[in-house]
């Protein structure tokens, strides 16, 4: 019997080590990684400075619990606040947990303002995690199926539609809006320009908290440290995870303005969250991201890959079967096909390339942000060739 509960249909490969944008299996076969552990290893695999920092920290102190001051956790909070415009942080161990903290903040905030049933506006197609609160906020019915009863208190509106978010106020007592600046699992969905600014204005006008889930888009992925920086918008609550620890599990829920001061002693907690090892990992990641201009690199490489994909897929865009759209920002790229794209994952794997397909027909590329130009070109060329071949076969 499988010793693991089979929550994942795993691909037939196991990696033994990695370096930069490459992973290696036990036969020393090399794989070019265009997924980065699902937008986690933004600085690539086995980064020497991260390895050294973790080893150094492990020799000193791994964990003490949040019953004591943890100076390195406080330094990380100060650092994150200074770069994001937020005021205070709660650290946890995953994206779902960061969103749970956000949802609890929204509810407390609502109760503090006299709402009896405070609700959170969420979007169709959203993905916020697998724990019950985050699952209730998630839009994909397939992910939610079989887990009723889920917590209530969420009002769902179309993604990218600020008027619909405003109208949610007629359906419930709204305390907050929780959205992804670009939807990841939902299919790399880029909202209309100006939407985040409209949401910011709406929340200011109504006294709602603007809560941004930057778990997938954050830490340089879209070409800025945060995706909301493209719009000059600062949220009241910001959730991070994935790239923050480059593989060491850490999540963060940051607050400012009206969301600061909502949670006090005893209102929320975690045994592991923000322990010295995780905090050291995240501080080291932020040092490298800033020093090496990693977000700018993601912006430049993203444009390069998009251009190359458009060139290589010329003639298939708009054709049937074909490519419906190539979209994304920085190194968060989706290629939407008019046919099922799932078979491409195994075909790519056989060629030594790791890609992902989400929402059934969207090839998703989330490579490490430290790719070389040559590696970026190689991914674009190989992915385009696989897609052309797949489309040709689909018309037979
Ligand atoms: N939010 C977003 C936008 C995500 O992409 C994910 C994971 O894919 C999550 C939340 C959940 O994060 P985790 O799997 O670390 O709980």
């Amino acid at each position: 019997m499988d010793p693991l509960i089979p929550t994942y249909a795993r691909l037939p490969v196991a990696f033994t080590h990695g370096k930069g944008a490459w992973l290696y299996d036990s036969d020393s076969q090399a794989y070019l990684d265009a997924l980065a552990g699902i937008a986690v290893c933004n600085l690539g695999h086995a980064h020497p400075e991260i390895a050294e920092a973790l080893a150094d920290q492990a020799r000193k102190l791994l964990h003490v619990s949040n019953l004591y001051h943890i100076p390195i956790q406080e330094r990380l909070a100060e650092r994150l606040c200074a770069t994001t415009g937020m005021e205070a942080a709660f650290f946890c161990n995953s994206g779902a947990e960061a969103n749970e903290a956000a949802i609890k903040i929204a509810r407390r905030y609502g109760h503090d303002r006299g709402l009896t049933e405070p609700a959170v506006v969420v979007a169709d197609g959203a993905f916020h995690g697998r724990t019950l609160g985050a699952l209730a906020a998630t839009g994909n019915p397939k992910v939610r199926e079989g887990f009723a009863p889920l917590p209530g208190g969420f009002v769902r509106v179309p993604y990218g539609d600020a008027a619909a978010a405003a109208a949610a106020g007629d359906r419930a007592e709204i305390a907050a809006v929780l959205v992804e600046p670009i939807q990841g699992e939902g299919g790399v969905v880029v909202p209309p320009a100006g939407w985040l600014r409209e949401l910011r204005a709406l929340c200011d006008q109504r006294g709602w908290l603007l809560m941004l889930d930057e778990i997938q888009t954050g830490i340089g992925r879209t070409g800025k440290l945060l995706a909301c920086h493209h719009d000059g918008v600062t949220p009241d609550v910001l959730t991070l995870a994935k790239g923050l620890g480059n593989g060491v599990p850490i999540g963060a829920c940051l607050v400012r303005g009206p969301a600061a001061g909502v949670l006090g002693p005893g209102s929320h907690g975690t045994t592991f969250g923000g322990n010295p090892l995780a905090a050291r990992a995240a501080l080291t990641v932020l040092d490298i991201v800033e020093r090496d201009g990693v977000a700018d690199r993601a912006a430049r490489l993203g444009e390069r890959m998009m251009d190359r994909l458009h060139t290589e897929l010329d003639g298939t865009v708009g054709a049937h079967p074909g490519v419906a759209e190539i979209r994304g920002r920085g190194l968060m790229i989706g290629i939407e096909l008019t046919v099922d794209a799932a078979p491409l994952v195994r075909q790519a794997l056989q060629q030594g390339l790791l890609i992902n397909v989400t929402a059934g027909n969207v090839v998703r590329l989330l490579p490490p942000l430290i790719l070389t130009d040559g590696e970026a070109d190689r991914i674009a060329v190989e992915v385009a060739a696989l897609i052309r071949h797949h489309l040709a076969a689909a018309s037979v």
Side-chain angles (χ1 to χ4, degrees):
M1 187 176 161
D2 191 341
L4 300 175
I5 296 178
T7 52
Y8 284 85
R10 293 170 197 269
L11 290 160
V13 65
F15 305 109
T16 53
H17 61 288
K19 193 171 192 321
W22 292 86
L23 284 168
Y24 301 88
D25 68 13
S26 47
D27 300 326
S28 297
Q29 160 86 42
Y31 299 81
L32 182 52
D33 186 2
L35 186 57
I38 324 181
V40 167
C41 301
N42 288 5
L43 301 178
H45 302 283
H47 194 293
E49 284 173 74
I50 297 174
E52 183 46 45
L54 293 178
D56 178 62
Q57 190 60 47
R59 283 190 291 267
K60 289 180 184 152
L61 195 61
L62 290 179
H63 178 83
V64 291
S65 92
N66 287 301
L67 299 179
Y68 307 99
H69 285 282
I70 303 176
I72 193 168
Q73 184 189 114
E74 288 164 25
R75 283 215 304 282
L76 175 61
E78 281 165 8
R79 179 73 179 274
L80 274 173
C81 289
T83 44
T84 61
M86 305 303 285
E87 289 170 18
F90 171 82
F91 293 107
C92 50
N93 314 286
S94 68
E97 277 176 80
N99 284 335
E100 291 292 337
I103 294 163
K104 284 180 73 173
I105 288 168
R107 291 196 170 179
R108 258 289 163 94
Y109 169 78
H111 287 299
D112 290 348
R113 299 176 72 233
L115 308 184
T116 42
E117 298 259 328
V120 178
V121 179
V122 291
D124 288 334
F127 186 83
H128 296 296
R130 305 277 191 161
T131 52
L132 287 176
L135 191 60
T138 288
N140 184 346
K142 263 200 234 153
V143 179
R144 297 150 54 97
E145 194 182 300
F147 297 110
L150 290 175
F154 295 93
V155 179
R156 201 166 299 287
V157 300
Y159 184 67
D161 185 342
D170 306 333
R171 289 157 63 192
E173 296 181 310
I174 304 301
V177 176
L178 170 65
V179 292
E180 298 154 86
I182 296 175
Q183 288 186 336
E185 304 304 302
V188 192
V189 183
V190 183
W195 170 68
L196 268 192
R197 281 194 297 275
E198 286 171 6
L199 283 186
R200 178 68 275 177
L202 172 69
C203 289
D204 288 342
Q205 194 192 349
R206 304 272 179 103
W208 301 349
L209 298 179
L210 178 62
M211 312 205 298
L212 294 185
D213 176 344
E214 293 242 18
I215 287 160
Q216 190 160 145
T217 51
I219 318 298
R221 172 62 51 192
T222 70
K224 300 255 187 213
L225 185 72
L226 300 177
C228 61
H229 289 167
H230 291 288
D231 296 272
V233 163
T234 307
D236 304 306
V237 178
L238 168 71
T239 55
L240 298 171
K242 290 193 183 274
L244 183 57
N246 207 60
V248 174
I250 180 167
C253 178
L254 294 113
V255 292
R256 71 181 261 276
V262 170
L263 295 181
S267 57
H268 197 45
T270 165
T271 297
F272 294 120
N275 80 10
L277 184 78
R280 179 77 182 263
L283 269 173
T284 310
V285 165
L286 293 175
D287 279 346
I288 298 168
V289 165
E290 218 166 89
R291 183 198 66 201
D292 293 353
V294 169
D296 289 345
R297 177 160 190 79
R300 195 176 63 70
L301 282 177
E303 278 173 27
R304 186 183 176 105
M305 279 181 76
M306 287 278 229
D307 286 350
R308 192 64 189 254
L309 283 166
H310 274 286
T311 310
E312 298 285 328
L313 289 169
D314 192 31
T316 67
V317 180
H320 288 283
V323 175
E325 196 181 14
I326 305 170
R327 58 182 180 243
R329 203 148 200 188
L331 286 173
M332 183 170 182
I333 297 175
I335 308 153
E336 183 181 333
L337 307 189
T338 58
V339 293
D340 178 24
L344 286 164
V345 173
R346 275 171 191 262
Q347 290 163 16
L349 181 70
Q350 278 162 8
Q351 284 184 206
L353 178 67
L354 306 178
I355 62 168
N356 176 252
V357 165
T358 188
N361 62 338
V362 181
V363 177
R364 180 170 52 158
L365 305 177
L366 297 165
L369 312 183
I370 47 74
L371 285 181
T372 63
D373 290 7
E375 287 161 350
D377 293 347
R378 181 162 168 175
I379 292 170
V381 168
E382 289 190 11
V383 166
L386 281 161
I387 289 174
R388 279 199 310 270
H389 185 263
H390 182 62
L391 293 175
S395 69
V396 184

